[in-house]
Amino acid sequence: MLDAPGSSTRSVAALRWDGERLHLLDQTLLPAEERWLSLTGAHDTAEAIARLAVRGAPNIGVAAAYGLAMAVSADPSPAAVREAAGILSSSRPTAVNLAYAVERVHAAASGATGELGERAAPAAARAEAERVHSEEILAAGEIARLGAELLRGRRRILTHCNTGALATPGAGSALGVITALADANPNVTVLACETRPLLQGARLTAWELQRLGIGFELLVDGAAAGLIRTGQVDAVIVGCDRVAANGDVANKVGTYAHALAAAAAQIPFIVAGPTSTVDLGTPDGAAIPVEERGGDEVVAFGGTAIAPDGIAVRNPAFDVTPAALIDAIVTERGVARAPYEESLAALAA
Ligand code: MRU
């Protein structure tokens, strides 16, 4: 089983690889039920990614890598591998980790086919997927260390969505930083935004923080700006789904509002994520594709209608925070600061 060696025994791993099959903790059911899914190929993995059974930018990249490795084992012909890669990379549009991981496994399989024939492709694809997975575990550890150094002395930390061990292999991104900060200072307390519409903050971050034994309070997203303005927050830290070359950051919808409030109150607004989320090929935030999800997620919850029938709905799953509002981007290779064109190119090239 490849999961998260060395990670805190208090944290969870939402994704396990047994060498042949991918096992995922179905995050749509948390916190009510802890049910594991067993996946066998590209189609069921893409479906799990699209419906958010597995989520968080690094984790969907790793899941897609294993999805493609399983597809290569089933049919290593170049046409079949190309088709499986396409199905997986198009399962969600915003997090660049998906294309990054799928391209790596696809290249490994194609390289093996070229040199040694199709029989070598499955082992090469599996090995590459395992490498992507291990690299993300190591990256999360470094991000936690560097981010906790950056935030040392800050006690009341606001965060958005879920960026912990449910979202990345290993410790998490923003929540990994918070965990390391709390390990060093037990007085650290988290303000966790609920994250409408799918409540990744309420359902998942609260679940993780409770297991970690870190003090926290849950708040509705709309409460954040007022608490920041009245001096009740020392810093904001969030994860990221795609970082453009100029430092603009796409993350869970609602993030931009927190960045505006943090800038107005002059408190640090920090982004944490691995270099696999940095996309130097996307020049700026305007070029980041923002996923629009179904209106059913907004007008109903848990099968209960919370709005009138038949109304028009917008449901962008992400928003883009301009680089000018971001004080630092913490990656496993170091902390990037403005001008981001230069600092990100130096770290992620
Ligand atoms: O739609 P989700 O739940 O996959 O969105 C996740 C986020 O926006 C996270 O903040 C991001 O992926 C970073 S996770 C390390």
Side-chain angles (χ1 to χ4, degrees), residues 113-237:
T113 307
E115 284 165 31
L116 304 162
E118 281 172 18
R119 266 183 308 145
R126 278 196 301 273
E128 188 64 10
E130 286 171 6
R131 253 191 304 276
V132 171
H133 191 179
S134 321
E135 286 170 15
E136 292 293 0
I137 293 171
L138 293 175
E142 272 307 287
I143 290 167
R145 191 180 67 75
L146 292 171
E149 246 168 54
L150 187 70
L151 287 180
R152 192 183 310 143
R154 311 259 171 189
R155 196 178 67 76
R156 299 162 303 173
I157 314 294
L158 186 134
T159 193
H160 192 69
C161 197
N162 172 265
T163 59
L166 291 171
T168 84
S173 59
L175 205 62
V177 169
I178 291 172
T179 305
L181 199 65
D183 281 346
N185 175 7
N187 293 322
V188 162
T189 180
V190 183
L191 291 154
C193 294
E194 64 172 357
T195 318
R196 275 283 291 153
L198 294 179
L199 303 183
Q200 287 93 332
R203 294 186 303 106
L204 308 177
T205 299
W207 186 79
E208 282 199 47
L209 285 168
Q210 198 170 47
R211 292 170 71 116
L212 289 163
I214 298 172
F216 71 98
E217 291 167 312
L218 183 66
L219 52 140
V220 299
D221 300 338
L227 296 182
I228 291 172
R229 192 185 72 79
T230 51
Q232 299 181 61
V233 179
D234 298 320
V236 179
I237 185 163

Side-chain angles (χ1 to χ4, degrees), residues 55-58 92 161 163 167-168 173 200 239-241 251-252 318:
R55 45 151 299 283
R92 288 189 83 187
C161 197
T163 59
T168 84
S173 59
Q200 287 93 332
C240 44
D241 286 80
N251 190 50
K252 178 54 57 193
F318 301 94

